[in-house]
Structures are given as C-alpha cells and as structure tokens.
Amino acid sequence: MLIAVAHGSRDPRSAAAVRQLVAALPGARPAFLDLSEPLLADVLADVGQGEAVVVPLLLGSAYHALVDIPEMVDSATARSPGLSVRVTDVIGTDPRVADAALARLAEAGARPGDGRLGVVLAGAGSSHAAANAAVADLAERWEREHGWAGVRPAFATCAPDVTDAIAELRDLGARRIAVASWFLAPGLLPDRVIAAARRADPDVVVAAPLGAHPFVVAAVRGLHLSAHV
C-alpha cells in the first residue's frame, strides 16, 4: 500500500490539493503529519498488518522527514509487529518535481529564454540549512540553464524573503518578475509569498503550486516503485 503523507495545514485548500494528488495514484491513501486528517499514525494503525510504503509529500528533507516520520513509523510498527513500512526519500529530491515547477511557471506565462525576466524560486523555508541550500542550488541551476536575467531563492519563513529576492533581480537588470512556486499546495505560506511579491511588484507573474501536476504524480509513483527494488 502506498501512503502519501503531507505536512497538513489549517487552510482547507491545502488538504484538498493533497487529496487531488493522491486520487491520481490508484490505491494510495493520503495522510498528514499535523493539522489535517487523517493523521499518519491513524492511517498506519488502520493498515495494521502487511506492507506499506510511505512517500513524504515534502519538498525538502528537514525535521519532518528526518525525525517526525521515522518516529511515527517506529511507533506504529512497535504496536503492530505484523506491519512492515518502508519510507522513501522526499518528493523534492526527484528531478520531475523541479520540472513540474518549471511547467507551472510556463503555464503562468514565464517561459525560458526571456532575458528580461527575473525569477524568484519561492518555498516555505526551514531551520534546517541543507533544505534551504537545496532550493538555492536549484535556483542557481535554473539561472545557468534557462536564459533569464537571474534566478533567486526566497522563503516564507526565513531569509532571504521575496522582497529581497526581487530587489536583487532588479539590480541584475530584470525588467519583469515571476515567482515560481516551490510549494506543493496553496495555503498560508504561499499566500504570504504572493502578497509580498505583489507589494513589491503589482505586475508580478505568479505560478500555481505544484499540486497534482503529472510530473509530481510520476515522481510519487517512481518513489513508490523504487521502494520495492
């Protein structure tokens, strides 16, 4: 059984987007770490016996992936000795997820090759430096490969924020600004990023969250299959 686990949010749009994604994966079950239901612990308890693969619908490998999920899985298997659970890497490590972010950006009208365009790659941010560094590395790769005036990372909960990123892109000569979404689903943090971007530039182009894009679905499916190799 595939269990796709997301963070959870007080914003109902977030859980709805996660369920839409999981609905594209036949036989999969959605779960959440907090704030939304069903919780991962409850889904694992419901499985009870047999094998399950947990795919974290997380874009960075930080505390939730490194601590929360393993602890929940260990507790579940300790309570149910007949339950075997494998946990995959987070989906953000799969290159198809980055391709989905590019596709969402193109859908919003920001395509590669526009040398007047500055792109902000905006994510939630983490206290785990390596997770933020992975977003910065992706921004650097996009800058090398896609012909834009520049690409800068920005975060909703830590520095650099989207206002600083836009200012840097303006200094590089960007005439137009687009914000690429490194968020799986809509919610409070993406809204914060969008509001700040529009304050800095009312004409900013904003990409939709990744959601159930076919590349994201393929990434989840691929991680699930890799757990059986």
Side-chain angles (χ1 to χ4, degrees):
M1 173 180 290
L2 165 59
I3 301 171
V5 58
H7 181 276
S9 171
R10 292 184 177 87
D11 189 323
R13 295 174 299 164
S14 179
V18 170
R19 292 191 179 96
Q20 182 183 18
L21 167 59
V22 176
L25 297 155
R29 295 184 61 175
F32 301 91
L33 297 176
D34 195 11
L35 302 174
S36 302
E37 293 184 343
L39 296 175
L40 176 59
D42 295 332
V43 174
L44 290 171
D46 188 48
V47 173
Q49 305 288 319
E51 296 185 355
V53 175
V54 172
V55 178
L57 301 179
L58 304 172
L59 299 180
S61 186
Y63 189 85
H64 297 304
L66 300 174
V67 178
D68 284 342
I69 292 175
E71 286 184 351
M72 291 178 186
V73 168
D74 287 346
S75 295
T77 53
R79 289 192 301 269
S80 302
L83 177 63
S84 174
V85 181
R86 297 183 185 183
V87 181
T88 74
D89 205 346
V90 300
I91 63 167
T93 60
D94 191 298
R96 288 169 287 197
V97 175
D99 290 342
L102 281 174
R104 292 296 192 211
L105 196 57
E107 289 170 0
R111 298 182 180 276
D114 184 347
R116 300 175 302 169
L117 182 69
V119 174
V120 179
L121 178 59
S126 172
S127 58
H128 193 67
N132 296 336
V135 180
D137 289 345
L138 179 59
E140 289 179 8
R141 180 161 66 82
W142 281 9
E143 184 170 272
R144 291 194 307 270
E145 295 178 355
H146 296 298
W148 290 312
V151 183
R152 290 293 182 270
F155 304 101
T157 61
C158 60
D161 63 18
V162 68
T163 304
D164 293 336
I166 289 174
E168 279 196 44
L169 292 168
R170 292 293 191 199
D171 289 342
L172 290 172
R175 302 289 297 276
R176 298 170 55 237
I177 301 295
V179 176
S181 182
W182 198 239
F183 291 98
L184 183 66
L188 302 177
L189 294 183
D191 284 354
R192 182 186 301 176
V193 166
I194 293 167
R198 287 180 173 156
R199 285 194 298 270
D201 182 353
D203 297 320
V204 67
V205 173
V206 179
L210 305 178
H213 191 280
F215 291 157
V216 178
V217 174
V220 177
R221 186 179 292 115
L223 287 167
H224 178 220
L225 292 174
S226 71
H228 295 288
V229 175

